[in-house]
Amino acid sequence: MMFGRSKRITPVIIAIEIFLLAVVVLINLPFFWMLSTSFKPKPEILSYPPRLFPSAPNFNGYTYVWKLIPLGRYFYNSTVVSISIALSKIVLASLAAYAFAKIRFKGSKQMFYLFLGTMMIPMEVIVIPNYITLNYIGWLDTYRALIVPFVVGAFSIFLLRQFFMQIPRDLDDAAEIDGCGRLRYLFTIIYPLSQSALLTVFLYAFLASWNSFLWPLIVTNSDKMRVIQIGLKALQDSWMIEWNELTAASTVATLPVLIMFFFVQKRFLEGIAITGLKG
């Protein structure tokens, strides 16, 4: 019985692994510094030489920031908006992607390229027209203003369309012979086969919405509707910044994304890997 030879460890491989480990540490150093600063007493925050770990960790930054701003309300708004946008993009983008990938109709490629063209339009270009529209219909300072303009995106359609095109046509023909309708085929066959791609779209949409700053700043006026990124900005005074409160709030804002990615990273990376560029 033959067994594959184990990979030989050479000095070059060891050097590459050490280099990659150093890169990982360097990339994650800002997050660890933020987390450490959130537990430091105020005298140690700007001490020289700087301390990586606090000598006497405390939760003063976390307790104070919840009293200083309505962080819970900001967190709730960000969660509602981000999940709503992510779910709506999965539903609407998958319907459009299914049409572009599986339904042959006149002008489908031209329409798809037109959708892709919208990806080249910067957000800053459409901010004013969108604001005027929402102001005219009375949606400012509401969840609708934060959610509706982003319920579908060309990138999500593109990503799902490329994945759907990899599903064999034999399944399409078999479903058609069995009398399976288009929506039933989408929900019972394509969706189960596309879990990784759908999860990738969800995470991209959730992360983009969670980190959004410019649009929520423009369309919200009250603390009741502001999101967590606006709350972080509120902690920065014109003359000084309370770094332990700011880093504590930033840690709270970052943890949900890290926890979500930790649990779904395998499926997320799988979705990135298997979503090809078939045209």
Side-chain angles (χ1 to χ4, degrees), residues 38-84:
S38 68
F39 291 104
K40 288 179 181 178
K42 288 188 177 182
E44 292 185 5
I45 294 177
L46 300 178
S47 63
Y48 185 83
R51 290 174 171 266
L52 181 58
F53 300 101
S55 59
N58 61 70
F59 291 88
N60 293 339
Y62 290 89
T63 55
Y64 183 72
V65 75
W66 284 88
K67 298 176 182 178
L68 186 64
I69 60 174
L71 189 62
R73 182 66 190 186
Y74 295 159
F75 190 92
Y76 172 79
N77 289 338
S78 290
T79 303
V80 170
V81 171
S82 299
I83 292 179
S84 300

Side-chain angles (χ1 to χ4, degrees), residues 227-246:
V227 296
I228 198 163
Q229 302 301 330
I230 308 300
L232 297 181
K233 178 62 179 176
L235 292 173
Q236 301 181 32
D237 190 79
S238 301
W239 301 101
M240 63 179 297
I241 299 176
E242 297 292 345
W243 287 107
N244 54 344
E245 284 87 1
L246 180 59

Side-chain angles (χ1 to χ4, degrees), residues 150-161:
F150 306 100
V151 293
V152 68
F155 178 74
S156 302
I157 296 174
F158 166 75
L159 197 66
L160 291 177
R161 183 243 188 194

Side-chain angles (χ1 to χ4, degrees), residues 242-260:
E242 297 292 345
W243 287 107
N244 54 344
E245 284 87 1
L246 180 59
T247 52
S250 299
T251 302
V252 173
T254 305
L255 283 179
V257 178
L258 293 178
I259 293 173
M260 179 181 298

Side-chain angles (χ1 to χ4, degrees), residues 90 93-94 97 156-164 197-198 201:
I90 285 179
S94 64
S156 302
I157 296 174
F158 166 75
L159 197 66
L160 291 177
R161 183 243 188 194
Q162 304 309 111
F163 186 87
F164 291 169
L198 294 172
V201 170

Side-chain angles (χ1 to χ4, degrees), residues 111-120 154-155 157-158 161:
M111 188 176 296
F112 176 67
Y113 295 146
L114 182 63
F115 270 94
L116 288 185
T118 62
M119 294 174 60
M120 295 184 290
F155 178 74
I157 296 174
F158 166 75
R161 183 243 188 194

